[in-house]
Amino acid sequence: MFLKSFKKWVFWAHLIIGLIAGLFIFSMSFTGFLLTYERQIVELDEMRFTVKSTYAQQRLSTDAVVDILQKSHPSQSHIYIRWVNREGAAIPAWAGKHSYLLHPYTGDVIREGEGLAAGFFHVVTDIHRYLLLHGASQVIGKNINGYANLFFIFLLLSGAYLWLPKRFNRSALKGYLLLAKSYKSSHHRNRQWHLVFGIWCLPVLLVLSLTATLFHFDWANKALYGAFGQSVPEREKHLPVLDLSADKVPYDALFQQAKVHAINNGAADWYSMWLELGDKKHEARFYIDTSIGNRQEYAYSLFLDTRTGDAIKTLKKSDWTRGDQAWGTSRFLHTGEYFGFIGQTLAGLASLLACFLVYTGMVLAWKRLVTSKSKP
């Protein structure tokens, strides 16, 4: 009797919370689905600007790229340059918030700004994180999505409990795990979709929603780091470097040194190499990546002294604290990128199925609350 009454309370809590948070869960799920292959699509968009070289052409030097950026923005010394290990690849470069795509041989500006694909994903990300709110209102959007995500976790757990059949036999499990060949009514179809889609994507959606709490709540970060006996590290604050004139070693020499370092450390087939200048005085940071982007196990940072060319330190994921490693893993579990293309695909499909869960849940709730009352 108690279990029957408890299940009834769980059902109504599941229904009411689903109605309250459903639209926000749908928004996060659908935008998450759109972001599934963001890195690959942006990369393909930039590959359109690959330039065919002639025998006499030499690739633009790193020093020349820095000069171009500093001439355009003399007050901006925080510089990023991304070298893609592909013949004729255009050069993405940033001076502060100003971004460019440069011709790899002449230095001409091919594109100013982030481009159509990156711009689209920027808007989708703002919806996913902040409901497209800006300025002071951004915190409101972030909190709404954060608490909607907590509601989603409850819906997943309560849904798993409600999914449990009264009797565990082959017939019952078949009806709860597999879609029917035909349906008696639209209500039967929606209920079946809700049960089957919900249970199959439950593990992935739980991972996506639990890792999402790290982006919204301090207590989630404290819990993660606390599990490894650590406190949440404070983000380092660096005063902006206003002048790079103290850098003595040519940046291109540092770039060549970074390439040799990559060869000696098993990263000879690096896909891209980022150079960051101006974050710390007398320091150049190279982020050497053998994947298409941010699979941390396949990348590492090399810090070089811009006065002497000496290596300051090498930082791999294995060098991080256990708490930082767990946070980094959680970050890319959220997007599925931790498992590469397959992980992204699973995360994207689960996000799309979550949209179906919201739709079928809303329809079933409407049937329960409105349609049933209209019948005599």
Side-chain angles (χ1 to χ4, degrees):
M1 189 70 181
F2 170 76
L3 288 177
K4 187 176 180 180
S5 177
F6 178 72
K7 194 166 188 177
K8 184 178 179 180
W9 280 106
V10 172
F11 168 79
W12 282 106
H14 185 88
L15 186 148
I16 293 169
I17 289 175
L19 288 174
I20 293 171
L23 289 177
F24 302 110
I25 294 170
F26 185 93
S27 170
M28 287 188 288
S29 299
F30 187 66
T31 52
F33 166 70
L34 292 178
L35 291 167
T36 301
Y37 301 117
E38 177 187 2
R39 295 191 187 280
Q40 287 86 348
I41 293 172
V42 171
E43 198 70 21
L44 286 172
D45 183 52
E46 292 192 351
M47 285 175 67
R48 296 187 299 113
F49 300 98
T50 300
V51 178
K52 291 184 178 180
S53 64
T54 63
Y55 181 77
Q57 284 180 308
Q58 287 189 344
R59 200 172 191 179
L60 204 66
S61 71
T62 310
D63 297 83
V65 177
V66 174
D67 288 340
I68 291 168
L69 294 173
Q70 290 209 299
K71 285 177 181 177
S72 301
H73 304 282
S75 61
Q76 294 286 351
S77 295
H78 195 185
I79 287 171
Y80 282 97
I81 302 170
R82 182 176 184 244
W83 295 102
V84 179
N85 196 9
R86 186 179 65 250
E87 188 67 32
I91 306 168
W94 291 259
K97 294 182 179 180
H98 306 280
S99 63
Y100 299 93
L101 200 62
L102 303 179
H103 192 289
Y105 303 110
T106 66
D108 296 335
V109 175
I110 299 175
R111 186 187 71 200
E112 186 172 350
E114 56 188 358
L116 185 63
F120 168 76
F121 287 117
H122 188 91
V123 173
V124 174
T125 301
D126 280 349
I127 298 172
H128 187 75
R129 294 177 180 174
Y130 314 114
L131 294 173
L132 209 58
L133 297 176
H134 298 284
S137 301
Q138 198 174 73
V139 177
I140 298 173
K142 182 180 179 182
N143 286 335
I144 290 174
N145 276 347
Y147 285 103
N149 181 67
L150 290 182
F151 285 149
F152 189 40
I153 294 172
F154 170 80
L155 291 174
L156 292 171
L157 296 175
S158 59
Y161 174 71
L162 294 171
W163 176 89
L164 295 172
K166 293 179 180 179
R167 294 179 181 178
F168 280 89
N169 54 49
R170 184 175 180 180
S171 177
L173 289 175
K174 184 179 178 181
Y176 280 55
L177 289 172
L178 301 175
L179 295 174
K181 293 180 180 179
S182 61
Y183 301 100
K184 300 174 183 178
S185 63
S186 60
H187 176 74
H188 178 217
R189 180 199 63 203
N190 291 327
R191 184 175 181 275
Q192 188 81 354
W193 283 3
H194 202 70
L195 288 169
V196 175
F197 290 152
I199 199 63
W200 279 109
C201 65
L202 175 67
V204 179
L205 289 178
L206 267 178
V207 170
L208 299 183
S209 55
L210 287 171
T211 52
T213 59
L214 297 172
F215 309 127
H216 294 286
F217 301 107
D218 290 336
W219 56 260
N221 289 276
K222 289 177 181 177
L224 178 68
Y225 278 90
F228 297 95
Q230 296 176 232
S231 57
V232 180
E234 293 185 10
R235 183 175 294 181
E236 288 187 61
K237 295 181 180 179
H238 301 145
L239 294 174
V241 177
L242 301 178
D243 187 8
L244 299 178
S245 61
D247 297 343
K248 302 299 182 184
V249 181
Y251 298 124
D252 211 53
L254 296 176
F255 178 44
Q256 299 303 323
Q257 186 175 336
K259 288 198 286 187
V260 172
H261 192 278
I263 293 171
N264 294 334
N265 285 270
D269 58 340
W270 57 273
Y271 182 84
S272 65
M273 194 179 299
W274 293 77
L275 166 62
E276 180 183 14
L277 298 170
D279 184 51
K280 283 186 178 180
K281 200 171 183 180
H282 310 311
E283 183 178 278
R285 172 179 174 258
F286 288 90
Y287 185 77
I288 303 165
D289 196 346
T290 59
S291 69
I292 196 170
N294 284 346
R295 289 190 69 185
Q296 295 163 319
E297 289 75 11
Y298 297 91
Y300 70 95
S301 293
L302 170 67
F303 299 84
L304 298 177
D305 193 314
T306 56
R307 297 166 297 179
T308 64
D310 295 336
I312 300 172
K313 63 179 177 180
T314 300
L315 191 61
K316 299 181 179 180
K317 187 177 180 180
S318 57
D319 298 320
W320 302 357
T321 66
R322 290 192 300 164
D324 285 338
Q325 288 185 47
W327 200 100
T329 298
S330 300
R331 157 69 181 85
F332 291 102
L333 279 174
H334 181 68
T335 59
E337 290 172 293
Y338 182 77
F339 296 107
F341 183 81
I342 294 175
Q344 288 176 268
T345 303
L346 287 175
L349 286 175
S351 298
L352 183 61
L353 288 177
C355 296
F356 278 94
L357 293 179
V358 173
Y359 165 72
T360 53
M362 291 287 192
V363 172
L364 292 169
W366 178 267
K367 180 82 173 177
R368 166 74 66 161
L369 297 173
V370 179
T371 310
S372 61
K373 288 186 178 180
S374 65
K375 293 182 180 180

